[in-house]
Amino acid sequence: MPDIAIGVDIGGTNIRAALVSDRGEILTKLSERTPTDPLQVLERVIAMARQLDRPDVAGIGLGIPGRVDVANREILSGGILNLAGLDFAERIEAAIGKRVVVENDCSMALIAEMRIGGAKGYRNVAMLTIGTGIGGAVAHAGSIYHGHRAAGQLGHICVSQDGPPCPCGRRGCVETFSSGTALRRHIAEAGLSAAAVGEVFDLAAAGNDDARRVLRQWAAPLRAALDNIAATMDPEVILLGGGLGCDAARALADLPAVAPWFCPAILPAKLADDAGVIGAGLSIFGNAGGTAEKHVVLVNGVPASGKSRLAKALSERTGWPILSLDGIKNPFLQHIGPVDRDFNRTLGKASYQAIWSLIADAPAGSTFIVDAWFGFQPKALLDAYIADAKIARVAELWCKVPGTVAGERYATRLKDRLPGHPGAEYVQELVALADRAEPMGCGAVMTIDQTKELDMDAVVAWVSQVFGGS
């Protein structure tokens, strides 16, 4: 599996794109001004991705300013740059031919900071990126937390119901007091001639009361928001990133937490403007913190329960490869010719072992879809295969059909099955098997009624939740 990806960080001012290794190294980087028209933004991203693309690129990660439904790869809303409604992922996949992961830009930055930056070694982290506005992201147990769809909008924690109006539709969000835009307003209202926050710090150090007041007006609402984050999420650390993250951390040093219950470590981010593009590249390789995890989706059910259709639909939505018993076994049957049922079962056992050998040899960060009737072998054997392959998370999609339905489907497909598969004599045995079969239960289980139309949005959202949104 390739160990290089393209990361794209779409900002209100610049679009940054880079070739990023699975260790977070930037190999090549591009930067261009962000167009104001959303369609031109899409065209610019495609052009930059084409410039960086090469055969060993594993995929493209996109950091989007605004709210993102990661499971459905949908942009819900934006601020200064609103890309909502554009099918970014599908268009870029069609243009480049590589898998695309879409995520909020602050979440991408947090992925990078947890892997190689200021939050390395932490598993439960909140991050605010302070610039023109305030972005937010949350990681729980080492993975980005999305909640229902777009959790982590920390810049929209309300710190004053009578405060300035916010683009989100409410008043007094911390963004309206503690962003870079708000800082410029505080400076102007105080009548200071400072052009940058560094000059405000210098004036305050020289004893200027107006400068001190500006810093307090800027930092005190942020302090309140951080206390709220600590009270509700209890993170190990809160990271401050973005162009003004280090300055905000400096201003907060004079405003310690008031309540002794809520005193998380507050640290500046380390990766500066590169965090978003690095995290976008790393999003292709797995979870946010530490070593990338290996995941597997077990698409399980008796023969003729609709497994293969579901596995194919999931693969088309996610880009994850399918490994199936028949996919490995059938080429041997084509060359060997007709075999009896015992030999067919032996081939099935060998194919099962081959599947898990391939998964075991795959690098961390891989995700596979395994299409099989897992009940033909003991659960203890499956548990051992999962352990040997170092699988961190298992999601089982249990394909449920009544026995009569499975039998009818199997009978209609007999003419298309290779010699060596059980014939018509197996139908009644399958009917009884389908009525008593159960999922393996090696991880989280979602039961799919295969007599109804597939709801792939629900399936993808559930699998994404089990895997922590990776």
Side-chain angles (χ1 to χ4, degrees):
M1 184 175 179
D3 59 358
I4 295 172
I6 295 173
V8 181
D9 180 27
I10 302 173
T13 303
N14 295 300
I15 300 173
R16 297 179 177 88
L19 278 178
V20 180
S21 78
D22 59 355
R23 295 183 296 275
E25 303 160 316
I26 292 180
L27 308 178
T28 306
K29 184 166 65 173
L30 306 174
S31 180
E32 295 191 20
R33 299 288 291 183
T34 305
T36 56
D37 179 74
L39 285 175
Q40 291 181 2
V41 173
L42 174 62
E43 293 169 358
R44 190 70 50 84
V45 170
I46 290 173
M48 295 171 78
R50 281 179 172 150
Q51 189 174 343
L52 291 168
D53 192 27
R54 59 194 222 189
D56 56 348
V57 165
I60 302 168
L62 293 177
I64 303 289
R67 294 166 59 243
V68 177
D69 181 346
V70 173
N72 293 307
R73 303 195 303 179
E74 180 183 356
I75 303 170
L76 302 175
S77 63
I80 297 171
L81 178 64
N82 189 357
L83 305 177
L86 281 179
D87 50 351
F88 250 68
E90 290 81 0
R91 294 196 188 191
I92 294 172
E93 280 180 344
I96 309 298
K98 299 287 174 70
R99 180 169 72 96
V100 172
V101 171
V102 180
E103 177 64 272
N104 167 264
D105 54 353
C106 188
S107 294
M108 290 300 198
L110 180 52
I111 289 171
E113 293 288 348
M114 290 183 70
R115 191 72 62 82
I116 62 171
K120 184 177 180 181
Y122 294 101
R123 303 276 290 168
N124 298 284
V125 182
M127 181 175 181
L128 292 89
T129 50
I130 302 172
T132 305
I134 295 182
V138 177
H140 172 69
S143 296
I144 298 298
Y145 176 72
H146 298 109
H148 168 54
R149 288 197 297 180
Q153 304 301 305
L154 305 182
H156 298 284
I157 292 173
C158 181
V159 292
S160 173
Q161 293 182 348
D162 298 322
C166 179
C168 78
R170 299 188 301 168
R171 284 183 170 272
C173 294
V174 66
E175 179 175 285
T176 68
F177 288 102
S178 301
S179 64
T181 302
L183 176 60
R184 288 191 294 274
R185 186 182 75 244
H186 296 319
I187 291 172
E189 290 174 350
L192 294 179
S193 59
V197 66
E199 296 175 29
V200 180
F201 279 114
D202 291 341
L203 289 169
N208 186 302
D209 289 337
D210 288 335
R212 289 174 177 172
R213 190 176 305 110
V214 164
L215 291 175
R216 178 171 288 274
Q217 288 174 325
W218 185 52
L222 181 60
R223 173 79 268 175
L226 298 181
D227 289 348
N228 287 335
I229 292 169
T232 55
M233 302 176 193
D234 190 27
E236 298 167 87
V237 63
I238 298 176
L239 211 62
L240 300 180
L244 292 169
C246 291
D247 297 307
R250 181 181 174 186
L252 287 168
D254 293 329
L255 294 171
V258 176
W261 285 5
F262 313 124
C263 301
I266 298 171
L267 302 175
K270 290 185 177 179
L271 300 177
D273 289 339
D274 287 334
V277 75
I278 292 172
L282 290 175
S283 71
I284 295 297
F285 300 110
N287 68 321
T291 303
E293 294 179 343
K294 196 185 298 186
H295 300 159
V296 67
V297 182
L298 308 180
V299 182
N300 188 16
V302 301
S305 61
K307 302 186 305 300
S308 297
R309 181 172 68 108
L310 174 57
K312 182 179 180 182
L314 182 60
S315 179
E316 289 175 347
R317 288 287 295 269
T318 62
W320 299 331
I322 301 171
L323 298 173
S324 70
L325 287 179
D326 284 352
I328 294 177
K329 185 171 60 173
N330 283 347
F332 288 95
L333 290 176
Q334 289 173 342
H335 287 277
I336 294 171
V339 299
D340 60 23
R341 186 170 176 181
D342 285 341
F343 192 87
N344 179 64
R345 189 176 182 85
T346 298
L347 277 179
K349 292 177 180 179
S351 300
Y352 195 49
Q353 182 177 348
I355 284 172
W356 289 103
S357 294
L358 288 168
I359 295 172
D361 289 341
S366 304
T367 299
F368 291 92
I369 300 167
V370 183
D371 167 11
W373 158 230
F374 290 90
F376 90 107
Q377 289 286 274
K379 181 177 183 294
L381 180 61
L382 177 59
D383 287 335
Y385 281 147
I386 289 171
D388 290 344
K390 296 181 173 57
I391 303 299
R393 305 190 196 195
V394 176
E396 181 177 0
L397 299 174
W398 172 243
C399 300
K400 181 67 175 176
V401 292
T404 53
V405 173
E408 290 169 2
R409 290 178 179 176
Y410 191 87
T412 61
R413 299 171 189 172
L414 284 173
K415 63 182 183 299
D416 300 320
R417 296 181 72 81
L418 290 170
H421 288 284
E425 75 283 355
Y426 180 62
V427 171
Q428 289 306 311
E429 182 181 337
L430 176 59
V431 170
L433 174 63
D435 286 336
R436 69 172 187 271
E438 299 289 343
M440 299 304 285
C442 298
V445 178
M446 181 182 191
T447 298
I448 310 293
D449 184 346
Q450 287 283 31
T451 64
K452 298 179 179 179
E453 188 66 28
L454 287 174
D455 183 352
M456 286 309 300
D457 287 343
V459 171
V460 171
W462 180 81
V463 173
S464 178
Q465 183 178 24
V466 172
F467 292 166
S470 61

